[in-house]
Amino acid sequence: MMESGVPVCHTCGEHVGLNVNGEPFVACHECNFPICKSCFEYDLKEGRKACLRCGSPYDENLLDDVEKATGDQSTMAAHLSKSQDVGIHARHISSVSTLDSEMTEDNGNPIWKNRVESWKEKKNKKKKPATTKVEREAEIPPEQQMEDKPAPDASQPLSTIIPIPKSRLAPYRTVIIMRLIILGLFFHYRVTNPVDSAFGLWLTSVICEIWFAFSWVLDQFPKWYPVNRETYIDRLSARYEREGEPNELAAVDFFVSTVDPLKEPPLITANTVLSILALDYPVDKVSCYISDDGAAMLTFESLVETADFARKWVPFCKKFSIEPRAPEFYFSQKIDYLKDKVQPSFVKERRAMKRDYEEYKIRINALVAKAQKTPEEGWTMQDGTPWPGNNPRDHPGMIQVFLGYSGARDIEGNELPRLVYVSREKRPGYQHHKKAGAENALVRVSAVLTNAPFILNLDCDHYVNNSKAVREAMCFLMDPQVGRDVCYVQFPQRFDGIDRSDRYANRNTVFFDVNMKGLDGIQGPVYVGTGCVFNRQALYGYGPPSMPSFPKSSSSSCSCCCPGKKEPKDPSELYRDAKREELDAAIFNLREIDNYDEYERSMLISQTSFEKTFGLSSVFIESTLMENGGVAESANPSTLIKEAIHVIGCGYEEKTAWGKEIGWIYGSVTEDILTGFKMHCRGWRSIYCMPLRPAFKGSAPINLSDRLHQVLRWALGSVEIFLSRHCPLWYGFGGGRLKWLQRLAYINTIVYPFTSLPLIAYCSLPAICLLTGKFIIPTLSNLASVLFLGLFLSIIVTAVLELRWSGVSIEDLWRNEQFWVIGGVSAHLFAVFQGFLKMLAGIDTNFTVTAKAADDADFGELYIVKWTTLLIPPTTLLIVNMVGVVAGFSDALNKGYEAWGPLFGKVFFSFWVILHLYPFLKGLMGRQNRTPTIVVLWSVLLASVFSLVWVRINPFVSTADSTTVSQSCISIDC
């Protein structure tokens, strides 16, 4: 991949060349995207003046240097001409024979010896077709060759970056800088003007405000380079789906994971599976793997019914091009289903299909009802043998292929995608690592059975809402200009069944439509656990093909900051990096395998090094070397299932790199953040894909307690990462492959739970100030007033400009702010303490949720009141602030007119807290006999204030009587 340290162009595969100073040519100084001088000049001539990766505009002054140095390219281009035939992805199956010859002869197994022989045979066979192809092309007349060339669209990029207009982005960045300057002046004023009468409150407020400013910087600056992207599916088809030629679209393995069918209804999982099987994608390129980590017979039997129903559902979907292709959600749509339908038979067939689906639902419901009570002797299968998974914690591995290329066909006789049930082996005493372990088991099983080059993972409640979603992802992953360095394509999460006001910010619109767009302009979005298409090679721990090796002179320095300064590196990290670089070098040198003789080739990779990394499976190891995917030709089809059972054994991962350097990474309940972070540290980038029709849709907990427990789990995972060796504060500095703004984003993902500590203190301050009569701010001068006004205005203007370029509504932004406070003073606070107890003391705590009431109306779950410990802190804050407001008004009434001025600032501060916690208060009170919560809240506050005023006025006692009473009270000697 590299020669003399010069990178390879992503567009044409040539070396990028050198500039006039003898250094590697760099067109984009923002992301260092490798592009040669010729392609750079061509882009300028075609009017493309922005970087393909980050969207930053090119420096047009470089064109003069390109013209001067074009002659220097010839030597490097000639050297690479032989490797051009290998193609962009050139890690072939034949390369697996590059084992240590002595080990193979003495200690190796027969399988590896046979593959060495098969490689030799394939090498001899490869030379003949190449010659005949050249001769055949020479015989074709030039006119006919011109006709056989692909359409113009086929040679164009499959996607493009649409930068945010400068008219929107420039003011946004300007206000951010102004806000940063104002913050500096504000803190200078706050620190130099302490409040002596309330020094403790003042110091607490200053510390909290400094932390909030730090959190704002971590959140704000990764949004500095937001971009939009556009895909061209028609160009993808023109390039890879030509008439009269084999379909060249890449295969995709789908992963769907489930655990408990009683908590994750089988009907929801079945709809996800059906939407995958009915994709608008070649059936021989799609395989769906279902991970049943609970080894439930209910899941297995429901898949049997689903496979049978798919024989009717899949042809119906493809015949009439319906959307979405999950039957439960298709038939429940409240739209005109006849729109754009012109076939007369549609209505009749739709009614028949709906009847078939309802009958299918009845069969699934019967299975669920049967599974409610487990027999004492355990479940038995139809042949009378006990179900192997009767003990979910101690059972063998199970694999069942339901559909596939040689299996059942649909009712029209067409092939169906492969559907595979997988339940990995579990035994007492082995760590299984929950979802991450299940996903890694699916990686190995799929590599043995189908080995698609790309993997798409979905939660069991996320169905495919856009049948062309995979094609959208392939516009990036199969684009030779973009896809070589892409580790995954992440889609935004969209949800069904959320109340219109989105009371608890379940949609996470600000995160998915603002933060993720910003990250896409740096090194790519973070992995969010579902709706993500992976490059399989990235999951195997390899670095990107175009990434250069670390320079020996500065291997411990960061390339993006202080390149000459060396930093000490942990010895264990040096060892891991060395092993990874050794493996990367061995793998990518296989591209030039024809340049090595037999001895050098055998020394390139040893069988032992692969087994220590990937485990003791020669079939699986061979699949890791096939970058284009596909089952190895040397594999015996009759033994593939046996080999697949072997790789999901509970002890397979022992003493390997699984969960440490390859696959889904272990060590946190939020394995998604860790997995994506490791890939970005290796130099990969990710892509954010937002098609007009949402690619996937799922369900979200709309109940307050369930939502808080979901947030608790995410925050706990962040705390676990913070306390692990993978913490972004210190991990991955050695190679300088993780950009600084990307690192800031990852730091933000692991430190945000700690904001709960200053937040709960800050929300308590207004009540304390109202109750004690003190305040955290001294009497304001004119300069201080200007600073406070400027700070508030900069906050408002930043939000307005962010809404302008992102398209997010102000309601979504306000809901996000509200739940930031609600989650911060409840779930995040508990996550911090629970994380420290778990990681430092080994104590695992759980918070139970108990249902108190229910409602059968629309969004009835929204009004269910469930008691949980997480509700205590925000409830306390609400009560304290309400009492503080009442006490503040009482104090102002007693002291007279001069007390109302200071009261205004304190009450405003307290109302800020109450307004942010208002959705929590609504959730806490439930429906309250359909009385609006705002009425109850204002009734309590106004009743308290008017009661105090009534007591102060005291209309039933005359002025003279009250004076007499007061004098008599004074004369009493107690």
Side-chain angles (χ1 to χ4, degrees), residues 875-890:
T875 305
T876 304
L877 283 176
L878 272 171
I879 294 174
V880 169
N881 276 278
M882 288 184 189
V883 171
V885 170
V886 175
F889 276 103
S890 175

Side-chain angles (χ1 to χ4, degrees), residues 584-656:
D584 277 348
I587 293 299
F588 291 117
N589 281 338
L590 290 173
R591 297 176 182 275
E592 304 172 1
I593 196 166
D594 289 335
N595 297 332
Y596 293 89
D597 58 27
E598 190 73 23
Y599 176 76
E600 290 174 323
R601 195 180 303 112
S602 65
M603 294 296 292
L604 200 57
I605 307 174
S606 68
Q607 177 182 354
T608 305
S609 65
F610 272 103
E611 290 178 346
K612 287 181 178 179
T613 303
F614 297 110
L616 298 172
S617 172
S618 57
V619 176
F620 174 72
I621 291 174
E622 184 174 357
S623 71
T624 64
L625 301 177
M626 302 172 63
E627 190 171 349
N628 289 330
V631 180
E633 294 180 11
S634 58
N636 186 353
S638 62
T639 62
L640 285 182
I641 293 294
K642 183 178 180 181
E643 189 70 21
I645 292 288
H646 167 62
V647 298
I648 60 173
C650 57
Y652 183 85
E653 295 183 355
E654 295 293 321
K655 298 181 180 179
T656 66

Side-chain angles (χ1 to χ4, degrees), residues 339-487:
K339 185 178 180 181
D340 299 329
K341 298 295 184 292
V342 296
Q343 294 167 286
S345 62
F346 173 69
V347 174
K348 181 179 179 181
E349 293 191 34
R350 185 183 185 276
R351 290 173 180 170
M353 182 55 61
K354 187 175 182 180
R355 183 179 63 252
D356 290 339
Y357 177 64
E358 290 172 349
E359 293 174 355
Y360 162 75
K361 285 178 65 175
I362 293 296
R363 294 194 296 271
I364 296 295
N365 292 339
L367 293 175
V368 174
K370 175 185 173 183
Q372 296 298 319
K373 186 177 180 181
T374 305
E376 294 183 0
E377 66 278 5
W379 299 106
T380 56
M381 295 185 286
Q382 292 182 355
D383 59 358
T385 58
W387 170 248
N390 277 323
N391 186 346
R393 298 180 181 179
D394 186 4
H395 64 85
M398 295 179 283
I399 295 178
Q400 176 65 47
V401 180
F402 291 105
L403 303 172
Y405 317 130
S406 59
R409 295 174 176 260
D410 64 26
I411 56 176
E412 297 180 358
N414 301 317
E415 289 184 358
L416 289 169
R418 179 172 295 186
L419 177 62
V420 184
Y421 170 87
V422 179
S423 182
R424 57 183 173 142
E425 181 185 17
K426 286 190 175 182
R427 301 297 181 191
Y430 286 90
Q431 283 287 342
H432 302 295
H433 303 288
K434 299 182 180 178
K435 180 182 176 181
E439 296 287 352
N440 284 338
L442 290 183
V443 171
R444 298 190 293 271
V445 169
S446 62
V448 171
L449 297 181
T450 51
N451 195 34
F454 302 110
I455 294 171
L456 196 159
N457 85 293
L458 289 172
D459 288 342
C460 63
D461 60 344
H462 277 67
Y463 65 91
V464 181
N465 183 65
N466 183 349
S467 62
K468 298 184 183 295
V470 177
R471 294 177 180 268
E472 297 275 354
M474 290 303 119
C475 286
F476 300 106
L477 294 168
M478 296 190 69
D479 191 334
Q481 296 181 349
V482 179
R484 299 179 68 189
D485 284 351
V486 176
C487 55

Side-chain angles (χ1 to χ4, degrees), residues 752-771:
Y752 78 87
F754 297 96
T755 305
S756 60
L757 299 174
L759 184 60
I760 198 167
Y762 208 68
C763 290
S764 303
L765 286 177
I768 297 174
C769 291
L770 287 167
L771 292 172

Side-chain angles (χ1 to χ4, degrees), residues 385 411 455 556 713 717 759 801 903 971:
T385 58
I411 56 176
I455 294 171
S556 61
R713 179 183 174 276
L759 184 60
L801 293 177
L903 177 67
S971 62

Side-chain angles (χ1 to χ4, degrees), residues 156-273:
Q156 295 181 3
L158 303 179
S159 64
T160 185
I161 294 175
I162 304 177
I164 305 296
K166 290 185 178 180
S167 59
R168 297 185 178 183
L169 205 54
Y172 176 66
R173 292 173 175 172
T174 303
V175 171
I176 291 174
I177 298 300
M178 291 177 59
R179 181 174 172 181
L180 199 62
I181 296 173
I182 294 173
L183 271 175
L185 298 174
F186 171 78
F187 284 123
H188 178 268
Y189 168 79
R190 292 284 281 135
V191 172
T192 56
N193 292 271
V195 181
D196 296 330
S197 60
F199 187 80
L201 296 178
W202 167 82
L203 182 61
T204 302
S205 66
V206 170
I207 294 174
C208 293
E209 289 162 2
I210 291 174
W211 179 265
F212 295 151
F214 171 70
S215 299
W216 172 75
V217 169
L218 292 179
D219 179 70
Q220 186 67 66
F221 280 91
K223 296 182 282 190
W224 191 260
Y225 298 105
V227 296
N228 293 314
R229 296 182 185 270
E230 185 176 354
T231 56
Y232 306 103
I233 299 179
D234 53 341
R235 297 179 185 176
L236 180 77
S237 298
R239 182 178 297 186
Y240 297 107
E241 293 182 295
R242 302 170 186 166
E243 292 185 7
E245 297 183 13
N247 194 302
E248 296 180 356
L249 287 176
V252 182
D253 287 338
F254 283 77
F255 293 173
V256 179
S257 55
T258 182
V259 180
D260 188 351
L262 298 180
K263 294 181 180 179
E264 300 166 333
L267 189 62
I268 299 300
T269 304
N271 271 270
T272 300
V273 173

Side-chain angles (χ1 to χ4, degrees), residues 646-958:
H646 167 62
V647 298
I648 60 173
C650 57
Y652 183 85
E653 295 183 355
E654 295 293 321
K655 298 181 180 179
T656 66
W658 284 102
K660 302 170 186 174
E661 298 295 331
I662 61 176
W664 271 257
I665 306 301
Y666 305 149
S668 171
V669 293
T670 52
E671 69 288 329
D672 45 5
I673 298 293
L674 263 183
T675 303
F677 174 62
K678 293 276 284 187
M679 292 180 182
H680 283 137
C681 285
R682 295 189 187 106
W684 293 94
R685 70 155 292 119
S686 53
I687 297 289
Y688 195 49
C689 183
M690 294 183 65
L692 293 178
R693 180 180 180 86
F696 311 100
K697 280 191 174 182
S699 58
I702 63 174
N703 174 265
L704 174 61
S705 301
D706 293 339
R707 172 68 166 143
L708 288 178
H709 274 265
Q710 181 190 55
V711 174
L712 170 65
R713 179 183 174 276
W714 294 342
L716 176 59
S718 296
V719 176
E720 289 175 342
I721 297 174
F722 177 82
L723 298 175
S724 71
R725 69 181 184 91
H726 289 117
C727 178
L729 287 170
W730 50 73
Y731 183 85
F733 277 96
R737 296 183 174 184
L738 186 68
K739 296 185 178 181
W740 277 104
L741 288 179
Q742 191 79 15
R743 185 177 295 277
L744 282 183
Y746 274 112
I747 292 174
N748 187 40
T749 61
I750 58 110
V751 302
Y752 78 87
F754 297 96
T755 305
S756 60
L757 299 174
L759 184 60
I760 198 167
Y762 208 68
C763 290
S764 303
L765 286 177
I768 297 174
C769 291
L770 287 167
L771 292 172
T772 60
K774 299 177 181 180
F775 201 40
I776 58 176
I777 300 174
T779 304
L780 295 179
S781 61
N782 292 335
L783 176 62
S785 301
V786 171
L787 283 176
F788 274 90
L789 182 62
L791 183 60
F792 282 119
L793 286 177
S794 66
I795 293 173
I796 295 172
V797 174
T798 303
V800 170
L801 293 177
E802 193 167 88
L803 297 180
R804 187 165 172 253
W805 68 254
S806 66
V808 175
S809 68
I810 191 170
E811 183 182 9
D812 289 327
L813 182 66
W814 174 237
R815 291 299 185 203
N816 183 75
E817 289 293 320
Q818 285 181 311
F819 199 78
W820 175 75
V821 176
I822 295 172
V825 300
S826 57
H828 298 173
L829 180 68
F830 279 86
V832 171
F833 290 107
Q834 187 177 355
F836 275 97
L837 287 174
K838 182 178 180 180
M839 300 298 290
L840 301 181
I843 302 175
D844 195 1
T845 56
N846 292 311
F847 304 100
T848 57
V849 181
T850 306
K852 298 298 182 184
D855 198 320
D856 294 330
D858 290 340
F859 302 111
E861 188 183 354
L862 184 68
Y863 304 101
I864 297 176
V865 180
K866 298 180 180 180
W867 175 250
T868 173
T869 321
L870 300 178
L871 302 179
I872 295 177
T875 305
T876 304
L877 283 176
L878 272 171
I879 294 174
V880 169
N881 276 278
M882 288 184 189
V883 171
V885 170
V886 175
F889 276 103
S890 175
D891 185 63
L893 288 170
N894 287 328
K895 290 184 178 180
Y897 176 78
E898 66 277 0
W900 288 93
L903 177 67
F904 174 77
K906 300 174 185 177
V907 171
F908 174 81
F909 195 7
S910 188
F911 268 97
W912 177 88
V913 176
I914 294 174
L915 285 176
H916 277 79
L917 293 176
Y918 175 67
F920 172 83
L921 183 63
K922 290 186 70 174
L924 196 65
M925 299 182 70
R927 194 180 287 273
Q928 289 296 316
N929 295 324
R930 302 185 185 275
T931 301
T933 310
I934 191 67
V935 174
V936 178
L937 174 62
W938 280 106
S939 298
V940 172
L941 285 176
L942 292 177
S944 303
V945 171
F946 281 122
S947 297
L948 291 171
V949 174
W950 184 271
V951 172
R952 177 63 179 171
I953 296 174
N954 203 358
F956 296 105
V957 181
S958 64

